[in-house]
Amino acid sequence: MRVPVLVKVSIFALAVMGSYTYYANSIPQIQSKPPEELSLEGGNVTPEQLVKAGEEIFKGKGTCEICHRIGQKGTRAPDLAGVGGTAAKRKSGTNAKAYIIESLLDPGAHLVEGYPNIMPKVDRPPIGLNRSELWALTAFLESMGGTVDVKLDDIPKSAGAPATGGGGAAALKLPGDPKAGQAVFGGKGGCIACHKAGAIGASPVGPDLSQIAKIQTPEYIMGKILSPGAMGTVSGYPPNVMPPTFGQSLTAREYIDLLSFLLTLKGEGGPSAAK
Ligand code: HEC
Ligand code: HEC
């Protein structure tokens, strides 16, 4: 029986995703708690301290600035200046606080017009913020044009890096070879014609991928390679430019090596490096 290559690759992708989830769930002991985890629970914290902590998370662990800028349109995401005020009008029946919290935990529930559904759930890997961090971050967002009134209890108990996974899952190794994947990126895949990735490439045709593993899930990156249009078009870039044919042209081995390479891209270059 002849099976189309795209189907084979997709089945392979599902198998990899399956084993990825399996590993993530079955070996919780390898999870490493991020060192700079913030805990404010039980402590007395003033709104000012909370906002300050939230700003640090925004700029640091949250990696929000790779996509969002304040007072400036980012390449991948809306400007968040004044979001504490505009949030009140985004969704009828939802106040500013509830909208902001929903934006962080379930970004796809309401999309800002003109933007694709590419924001990851920030309490899941790779960003993986905990409840205290979500609390502080919400306070910081509210402080830009709104009223800081968020309480820890407003953040759902189910939110935050779960005991079984946390930031550890994103660091799991796939069965691919990143070195071979880099060769696919620069060679057969031809990705380098449009993308920069860390030390290699310089083309501005597509987004700089140097920090992609810090802000995106393996599922998104896998989908983007197989079916770029289905994953939404990164804002600021033309649609239908990234070839939709990699599912046919790459072998399953090349695909998984390529993915393994992309998951190593956690460059520290700062937000300006991710254009
Ligand atoms: C991979 C890129 C990406 C990352 C990382 C990211 N976002 Fe977003 N964000 C988006 C995009 C695209 C939208 C618009 C589509 C939507 O509404 O989901 C958005 C929307 C939002 C909104 C709603 C804005 C509005 O005007 O209604 C908020 C609030 C927000 N993000 C906050 C954050 C915070 C805080 C972080 C860091 C913890 C973050 N985002 C990380 C891409 C990103
Ligand atoms: C002809 C140019 C071109 C080639 C070749 C190309 N891409 Fe892209 N790629 C783009 C463009 C343009 C975008 C942004 C628009 C969009 O989202 O479709 C993009 C978006 C992406 C994204 C999403 C980035 C983000 O910030 O969310 C990933 C991941 C990606 N490409 C990976 C690859 C890989 C891996 C290859 C090689 C197998 C590749 N691309 C080949 C043009 C290209």
Side-chain angles (χ1 to χ4, degrees), residues 7-195:
V7 174
K8 274 196 262 175
V9 171
S10 303
I11 291 170
F12 188 75
L14 285 176
V16 170
M17 276 169 67
S19 61
Y20 169 82
T21 317
Y22 172 78
Y23 280 119
N25 292 333
S26 65
I27 38 173
Q29 69 274 18
I30 73 159
Q31 60 147 329
S32 51
K33 282 263 179 226
E36 72 299 10
E37 194 135 347
L38 172 73
S39 182
L40 300 165
E41 294 183 42
N44 270 330
V45 51
T46 66
E48 291 73 28
Q49 287 169 325
L50 202 56
V51 168
K52 184 90 188 44
E55 182 174 5
E56 275 161 28
I57 292 161
F58 188 87
K59 294 182 171 158
K61 186 178 175 187
T63 68
C64 319
E65 281 190 321
I66 298 178
C67 293
H68 291 280
R69 296 306 183 81
I70 294 168
Q72 187 189 332
K73 196 179 170 295
T75 47
R76 291 181 170 96
D79 180 0
L80 293 180
V83 69
T86 48
K89 291 164 233 134
R90 281 285 193 225
K91 207 175 157 182
S92 63
T94 307
N95 65 23
K97 178 169 68 181
Y99 172 78
I100 289 173
I101 295 170
E102 183 189 80
S103 302
L104 301 175
L105 298 179
D106 190 9
H110 177 274
L111 295 180
V112 178
E113 210 189 311
Y115 288 93
N117 185 11
I118 64 163
M119 175 164 158
K121 296 179 177 177
V122 307
D123 65 326
R124 296 279 173 262
I127 299 178
L129 300 180
N130 67 28
R131 277 184 85 220
S132 295
E133 290 163 339
L134 292 162
W135 178 28
L137 193 54
T138 304
F140 170 62
L141 295 170
E142 286 184 330
S143 78
M144 294 187 285
T147 315
V148 179
D149 61 355
V150 60
K151 304 271 172 294
L152 180 60
D153 283 342
D154 292 322
I155 310 296
K157 291 260 185 327
S158 57
T164 48
L172 276 170
K173 285 195 69 167
L174 283 162
D177 172 4
K179 262 220 141 76
Q182 178 170 337
V184 175
F185 190 91
K188 185 175 172 189
C191 320
I192 206 165
C194 298
H195 294 285

Side-chain angles (χ1 to χ4, degrees), residues 197-255:
I200 62 169
S203 170
V205 175
D208 184 344
L209 301 179
S210 303
Q211 305 188 78
I212 195 74
K214 267 178 140 173
I215 53 170
Q216 279 301 352
T217 59
E219 289 78 5
Y220 169 83
I221 300 173
M222 291 167 115
K224 196 74 200 171
I225 299 171
L226 291 181
S227 182
M231 304 310 287
T233 303
V234 178
S235 136
Y237 293 90
N240 308 320
V241 166
M242 177 153 164
T245 47
F246 294 118
Q248 287 95 310
S249 59
L250 298 178
T251 66
R253 177 86 254 158
E254 287 162 347
Y255 174 67

